[in-house]
Amino acid sequence: MTQPLFTPAKAGAIEASNRIVMAPLTRNRADNDTGKVSDMHVDYYRQRAGAGIIITEATQISPEGKGYLQTPGIHTPGQAAAWRRVTDAVHEAGGKIVVQLWHVGRISHTSLQPDGQQPVAPSAINAGVKTFTANGFENTSDPRALELAEVPRIVADYANAAKLARDAGFDGVEVHGANGYLLDQFLKTGSNHRTDAYGGPVENRAKLLLEVMEAVTKVWDAGRVGLRLSPFSPANGISDDNPQDTFEYVIKELNRFDLAYLHMVEGATGGSRDLQDGQSIDKLRKLFDGPYMANNGYDREMALQAVKDGDADFIAIGRPFIANPDLVARYERDLPIAQGDQSTYYGGGREGFTDYPEYIAEAAE
Ligand code: 8OZ
């Protein structure tokens, strides 16, 4: 009997050939000056088109939304044209691909910002973490609090990026609301000390996220718009006084959009799946009316089980896709999984990016 994990499914209007999704993976190989992807990205994503859906690496929606060296952008026509070559290649190979729309907020450094300015954030509170610049790992710069009058511009930047994503031929977009970046910074109390309409009670802290979802679903059919959240993750120095309540509110509000999917980082991003007392991913998942995409530390057995039990519609797998371009075929046939070389995860060229072989190719050598 075919396992449900390997059967087609719809994420809203996006028709996936199976339920294994390639999770967004930052690889820092775009041109640092233009934010364009290149030939090697075309090959990298084409090789991974066996995923039911590919979610691209996080991609900044504006120059100000950038926080690391050599991450790609989707705010200029040139960047969209470069991405078009990627989407064409993935489609020719029979895959689906959405772009992850990213604004880093305070997780940045003045050397990465337009005119060397301060990064922007809900409040002027340094995350106290590191980012990666031309000088290697550096402390995040002190951010400045966004003026109330600037918030509509941020929303407009998301809409502009969403439009360019259409020009680029993507199957949809995923809004990055996770991992301590701008939208998560607004949601959570540790980073949002605002006293205006965007701070204080959860209704206010969630306002920017919901305005962004509203704007993006005006550009795209909502059935082609996903959202990633990480309610309980401490990633990038983020914290919330009561994440369970915060995200119960957010998810109930999201139900009005009829989104393609909700993509949840279950636990600490790239780390433990353990939760504290009073925290429940299960409860949040059940509150959401649409397709649910689970992520964080799933291996083959966990993925098979979660989809079979109806606990998830899709499973997003990240790091294993680095060294296993044919991960879906390997899971389907229960073949060995290759280990990636961590020294080539971030930055560099084709090595550790486009040179991982498929299982068959490896065995034939
Ligand atoms: C790893 C390194 C840099 C950025 C995320 C976009 O955590 C990222 C990221 C991951 O969502």
Side-chain angles (χ1 to χ4, degrees), residues 26 28 58 68 100 102 176 179 181 228 236 269 346:
T26 289
N28 307 80
Y68 303 83
Q100 194 190 43
W102 191 32
H176 192 345
N179 297 346
Y181 297 110
R228 194 180 208 209
N236 285 313
T269 311
Y346 306 114

Side-chain angles (χ1 to χ4, degrees), residues 92-159:
E92 269 164 40
K96 297 280 153 74
I97 180 166
V98 305
V99 61
Q100 194 190 43
L101 303 181
W102 191 32
H103 189 307
V104 296
R106 65 180 182 168
I107 308 301
S108 188
H109 189 271
T110 52
S111 66
L112 297 162
Q113 289 289 307
D115 306 320
Q117 295 196 13
Q118 284 181 284
V120 300
S123 301
I125 307 167
N126 198 312
V129 299
K130 305 258 182 211
T131 183
F132 193 77
T133 74
N135 296 318
F137 286 101
E138 288 197 83
N139 295 328
T140 46
S141 302
D142 287 338
R144 69 174 179 86
L146 280 162
E147 305 278 344
L148 183 61
E150 287 180 279
V151 177
R153 182 202 21 101
I154 303 266
V155 177
D157 287 343
Y158 276 94

Side-chain angles (χ1 to χ4, degrees), residues 20-23 25 295 298-299 303 315-321 327 331:
I20 299 170
V21 170
M22 179 178 166
L25 292 163
N295 169 251
Y298 280 81
D299 61 15
I315 308 291
I317 310 252
R319 286 166 294 187
F321 259 109
L327 188 71
Y331 276 2

Side-chain angles (χ1 to χ4, degrees), residues 8-324:
K10 286 173 85 171
I14 305 168
E15 295 185 26
S17 61
N18 64 77
R19 288 108 178 300
I20 299 170
V21 170
M22 179 178 166
L25 292 163
T26 289
R27 305 301 309 274
N28 307 80
R29 283 161 165 90
D31 184 277
N32 192 54
D33 297 323
T34 64
K36 288 188 196 176
V37 292
S38 67
D39 286 351
M40 61 178 171
H41 295 84
V42 174
D43 292 338
Y44 168 74
Y45 284 111
R46 181 203 289 117
Q47 290 166 354
R48 287 157 182 78
I53 302 171
I54 293 171
I55 304 167
T56 69
E57 60 206 281
T59 300
Q60 59 263 2
I61 58 157
S62 60
E64 168 198 276
K66 180 175 176 179
Y68 303 83
L69 201 70
Q70 289 181 306
T71 53
I74 182 96
H75 50 86
T76 71
Q79 291 163 354
W83 276 118
R84 179 96 217 183
R85 300 183 50 238
V86 170
T87 64
D88 282 347
V90 169
H91 291 148
E92 269 164 40
K96 297 280 153 74
I97 180 166
V98 305
V99 61
Q100 194 190 43
L101 303 181
W102 191 32
H103 189 307
V104 296
R106 65 180 182 168
I107 308 301
S108 188
H109 189 271
T110 52
S111 66
L112 297 162
Q113 289 289 307
D115 306 320
Q117 295 196 13
Q118 284 181 284
V120 300
S123 301
I125 307 167
N126 198 312
V129 299
K130 305 258 182 211
T131 183
F132 193 77
T133 74
N135 296 318
F137 286 101
E138 288 197 83
N139 295 328
T140 46
S141 302
D142 287 338
R144 69 174 179 86
L146 280 162
E147 305 278 344
L148 183 61
E150 287 180 279
V151 177
R153 182 202 21 101
I154 303 266
V155 177
D157 287 343
Y158 276 94
N160 176 61
K163 284 191 191 106
L164 287 168
R166 296 189 63 144
D167 300 341
F170 285 102
D171 295 288
V173 297
E174 174 177 288
V175 173
H176 192 345
N179 297 346
Y181 297 110
L182 184 72
L183 298 174
D184 203 22
Q185 290 159 28
F186 268 85
L187 287 174
K188 292 181 178 160
T189 54
S191 41
N192 184 345
H193 293 189
R194 298 179 76 91
T195 53
D196 62 12
Y198 292 87
V202 64
E203 293 79 3
N204 291 3
R205 284 182 280 119
K207 199 167 147 63
L208 178 61
L209 171 68
L210 296 172
E211 286 177 357
V212 166
M213 298 315 289
E214 197 81 59
V216 171
T217 54
K218 283 203 175 105
V219 175
W220 285 85
D221 174 322
R224 293 187 175 274
V225 178
L227 171 65
R228 194 180 208 209
L229 296 174
S230 57
F232 306 115
S233 179
N236 285 313
I238 206 89
S239 65
D240 190 71
D241 288 343
N242 191 340
Q244 188 70 34
D245 283 2
T246 296
F247 285 85
E248 285 184 16
Y249 172 81
V250 168
I251 290 169
K252 282 186 204 149
E253 288 296 310
L254 290 173
N255 281 333
R256 71 173 128 104
F257 293 103
D258 214 5
L259 296 176
Y261 63 82
L262 176 62
H263 180 185
M264 201 98 88
V265 181
E266 300 175 336
T269 311
S272 170
R273 296 178 50 81
D274 295 342
L275 300 179
Q276 292 171 20
D277 286 350
Q279 301 184 342
S280 168
I281 282 285
D282 239 35
K283 196 163 171 208
L284 295 179
R285 167 177 70 78
K286 286 177 181 148
L287 278 176
F288 186 64
D289 289 342
Y292 178 77
M293 186 183 290
N295 169 251
N296 209 29
Y298 280 81
D299 61 15
R300 177 178 184 274
E301 287 312 311
M302 288 165 70
L304 284 168
Q305 198 65 43
V307 173
K308 191 192 274 176
D309 291 348
D311 289 339
D313 300 291
F314 295 89
I315 308 291
I317 310 252
R319 286 166 294 187
F321 259 109
I322 291 177
N324 299 274

